[in-house]
Amino acid sequence: DAIIDAIRDRSAPEGLLGNDANVVRYAKELLIDHEVSDDTFGAVHGLLGDKSTVDLTLLILYYSSLALALQAIKVDLPEGVASTL
């Protein structure tokens, strides 16, 4: 429930440290600020290297674009399924 609440509120789940916090910060900066700070990029790149940093970036953008597409064409949840967000 705490993770769902954090996603809905566009915040990081509480208690994230180190690498996990850096990856979440990277995603938030990319999606909200539309750019990633040098410090955040350096932390994630140092952890993942070139290929996996590109992979992470594309994965974040893929799910973001998928969510926007579903919203644009007004895809609803199946009947009887309640949103947790």
Side-chain angles (χ1 to χ4, degrees), residues 1-14 85:
D1 287 341
I3 292 172
I4 292 170
D5 291 343
I7 292 168
R8 182 192 58 237
D9 299 338
R10 295 183 177 189
S11 63
E14 296 211 13
L85 298 177

Side-chain angles (χ1 to χ4, degrees), residues 68-79:
L68 289 171
L70 292 172
Q71 185 175 11
I73 60 175
K74 304 204 183 304
V75 173
D76 290 324
L77 292 171
E79 190 172 319

